Amino acid sequence: MRIDIVTIFPEYFGALDVSLLGRAREDGILDVNVHDLRAFTHDRHRTVDDKPYGGGAGMVMKPEPWGEALDAVLEVDAPVVDVLTVDAPPAEPVEGGPIVIFPSPAGEVFTQAMARELSGAEHLVFGCGRYEGIDQRVFEYAGSRASVRLVSLGDYVLNGGEVAVMAMIEAIGRLIPGVIGNPESLVEESHEDGLLEYPSYTKPAEWRGLAVPPVLMGGNHGAIAAWRHAAQLERTRRVRPDLLPPA
Ligand code: JET
């Protein structure tokens, strides 16, 4: 999978060099490219923001650097300025083509199901917004060149998309075949079956007066599976009843 990230803070993505995803990059499974949005500006101050039309607080990200950055990562030739000809209408995004993702509190909520779907893509592009957001026309333009999704990590506001993109790349990357050593560890975990994970224990059997549930040490695999399933249901009902079918 190829991943392009467009950001005004490329340093945020240094962590992609380490751990599981760092190994996947060394192994050639993941090709991650981080692009500085300011490299697509042309003024002395490398300006990426301006005041909002219509007034209001804060600043809005200007469309021009975003257009050039998207053209570069989507390998679209820079638009030809030609007043004598009418541009061809924008092509519909190709199925199986690149997917451009903008983290946004106004987006659809990111889920394990979305991570699994996106883990099958050949090419993902992440655009990191800052300030009060990106000029709306950038999303329209991107949508004429690729499939575009505004995606939210949850109902809270971040200062920019960078941390959200790190979270999404970690969730997506570990689902790519070959990235995780033991694919079985993916099957049993939280959310893949719609329930929260059961509690885990390791040695010692007693620690600071706290015991491991005896059933886990008894070797009865049917009883262990039943205990774990009950623990999943109990935990999900207590913490995340919204994940359970209506009673
Ligand atoms: C976020 C993601 O805050 C989140 O995303 C980052 C962010 C912050 C500020 C502006 C911005 O612009 C994107 C945009 O969307 C229409 O213009 C993005 C919170 N939950 N998940």
Side-chain angles (χ1 to χ4, degrees):
M1 177 189 286
R2 171 177 159 192
I3 295 178
D4 290 284
I5 303 165
V6 181
T7 172
I8 60 169
F9 292 120
E11 320 84 85
Y12 264 96
F13 298 94
L16 290 175
D17 293 339
V18 297
S19 192
L20 218 65
L21 294 178
R23 161 66 69 87
R25 293 175 73 183
E26 284 172 19
D27 293 350
I29 298 170
L30 255 188
D31 170 23
V32 183
N33 311 279
V34 183
H35 309 270
D36 185 348
L37 181 67
R38 293 191 199 276
F40 302 94
T41 62
H42 302 286
D43 64 310
R44 170 182 305 281
H45 297 107
R46 309 216 292 165
T47 311
V48 295
D49 63 334
D50 205 337
K51 292 172 296 189
Y53 272 123
M59 299 289 268
V60 174
M61 294 190 104
K62 293 166 62 60
E64 302 97 319
W66 277 108
E68 292 197 26
L70 290 169
D71 287 344
V73 300
L74 296 172
E75 284 155 14
V76 176
D77 291 328
V80 177
V81 178
D82 185 347
V83 292
L84 296 177
T85 58
V86 177
D87 283 340
E92 278 298 302
V94 182
E95 172 103 35
I99 302 172
V100 183
I101 297 163
F102 293 97
S104 168
E108 49 177 333
V109 175
F110 187 70
T111 62
Q112 187 67 20
M114 195 190 297
R116 187 156 289 292
E117 178 191 336
L118 294 172
S119 72
E122 259 327 303
H123 186 192
L124 298 180
V125 176
F126 290 95
C128 301
R130 284 257 150 191
Y131 315 111
E132 300 313 305
I134 304 170
D135 187 302
Q136 182 66 25
R137 293 167 293 181
V138 171
F139 308 119
E140 287 176 40
Y141 175 74
S144 74
R145 296 287 186 269
S147 299
V148 175
R149 298 176 78 160
L150 270 60
V151 178
S152 167
L153 281 196
D155 292 335
Y156 42 83
V157 180
L158 306 171
N159 282 331
E162 285 78 8
V163 167
V165 166
M166 284 298 293
M168 288 189 248
I169 289 176
E170 188 153 317
I172 294 164
R174 60 194 293 284
L175 299 178
I176 298 170
V179 170
I180 278 209
N182 175 13
E184 278 196 11
S185 64
L186 291 175
V187 180
E188 285 194 13
E189 69 192 3
S190 283
H191 295 295
E192 287 285 334
D193 61 1
L195 296 175
L196 301 185
E197 185 58 287
Y198 51 77
S200 302
Y201 298 87
T202 186
K203 290 192 284 293
E206 193 189 310
W207 174 74
R208 300 193 177 185
L210 302 169
V212 172
V215 63
L216 299 178
M217 298 181 296
N220 180 339
H221 297 292
I224 292 170
W227 182 89
R228 285 177 167 169
H229 187 66
Q232 283 191 280
L233 283 173
E234 191 278 323
R235 184 181 254 183
T236 307
R237 182 158 27 86
R238 180 164 41 87
V239 182
R240 293 294 306 279
D242 56 297
L243 296 178
L244 293 171

